[in-house]
Amino acid sequence: SSHIPASMSLAPTPDDESLRRADGSSSNGGWLKKAMVLGQIGSRVKDTAKEASANPGHTPLDFVGECNLPTQFGDFKLRAYRGFKQNGDVNEPTVVVAGDVSGHDVPVRVHDQCFTSEVLGSQRCDCKEQLEATMKLLAETGRGIIIYLQQEGRGIGLANKVAAYGLQDKGLDTVDANLQLGFADESREYGVVPTILQDLGIQSIKL
């Protein structure tokens, strides 16, 4: 098992609370609230960069909400967070939770989004099978989490992933295809993982 560092506070700021309330859920003045959200994004990107530099390895996140998640594998909780990637893009990681996960030796899978496999059933990878196998395992054991990250195509995004697939069809491997498109061989970010583990009270994990 691995010890999880605990070095940052997730206490919401007044701006965080405003961001959550400015979701346009009220029909009265919804357009104005959405404008407020867009206005706050710029300041939150700056805050994120400042907080990240103060807490190396941790990416600041806001907790957005939690709901029940009934599935074919069993019943879970689904937690949603919001933050910003290093390039300023909005990042919304989610966590599938089974049972009480506070404490030590918690089963954890960090899973990168794969639309082509998980939604379209592509046979180019086994991401869907890995995700489903983990959900079955957590349902059987009754404890653990899946941290689901929006990192399609090793972090280059869905459209670029399709372009990379096109280059792979011509003989390039995954890394060379990404490099030819102008991306690094690895564009994924995992700074949100320790932040989420700390928020859930997880002290050590089993991968």
Side-chain angles (χ1 to χ4, degrees), residues 69-78 96-98 109 128-143 145-146 148:
L69 181 67
T71 75
Q72 61 179 313
F73 310 110
D75 295 335
F76 304 92
K77 295 288 186 181
L78 182 65
V96 178
V97 182
R109 175 176 175 79
K128 179 179 181 179
E129 288 77 11
Q130 292 181 34
L131 177 61
E132 291 184 347
T134 306
M135 294 183 72
K136 290 177 183 176
L137 178 62
L138 296 188
E140 292 171 359
T141 59
R143 187 174 189 241
I145 66 171
I146 301 170
Y148 190 91

Side-chain angles (χ1 to χ4, degrees), residues 21-40:
R21 290 194 299 269
D23 193 31
S25 56
S26 171
S27 59
N28 184 18
W31 65 272
L32 179 59
K33 292 180 180 180
K34 291 178 182 178
M36 291 170 60
V37 171
L38 294 175
Q40 290 168 3

Side-chain angles (χ1 to χ4, degrees), residues 34-110:
K34 291 178 182 178
M36 291 170 60
V37 171
L38 294 175
Q40 290 168 3
I41 285 178
S43 62
R44 284 296 293 149
V45 170
K46 294 179 182 178
D47 291 343
T48 294
K50 192 179 299 182
E51 291 176 49
S53 63
N55 297 279
H58 290 67
T59 298
L61 288 173
D62 296 326
F63 171 70
V64 178
E66 179 181 283
C67 69
N68 293 325
L69 181 67
T71 75
Q72 61 179 313
F73 310 110
D75 295 335
F76 304 92
K77 295 288 186 181
L78 182 65
R79 293 174 63 84
Y81 297 84
R82 182 179 296 121
F84 297 92
K85 297 182 179 180
Q86 292 181 0
N87 63 4
D89 288 347
V90 175
N91 183 27
E92 295 185 333
T94 54
V95 185
V96 178
V97 182
D100 179 5
V101 296
S102 60
H104 294 272
D105 297 327
V106 180
V108 173
R109 175 176 175 79
V110 179

Side-chain angles (χ1 to χ4, degrees), residues 124 162-173 177:
R124 302 184 76 127
V162 173
Y165 274 170
L167 293 175
Q168 291 175 39
D169 290 342
K170 298 177 182 178
L172 274 66
D173 64 21

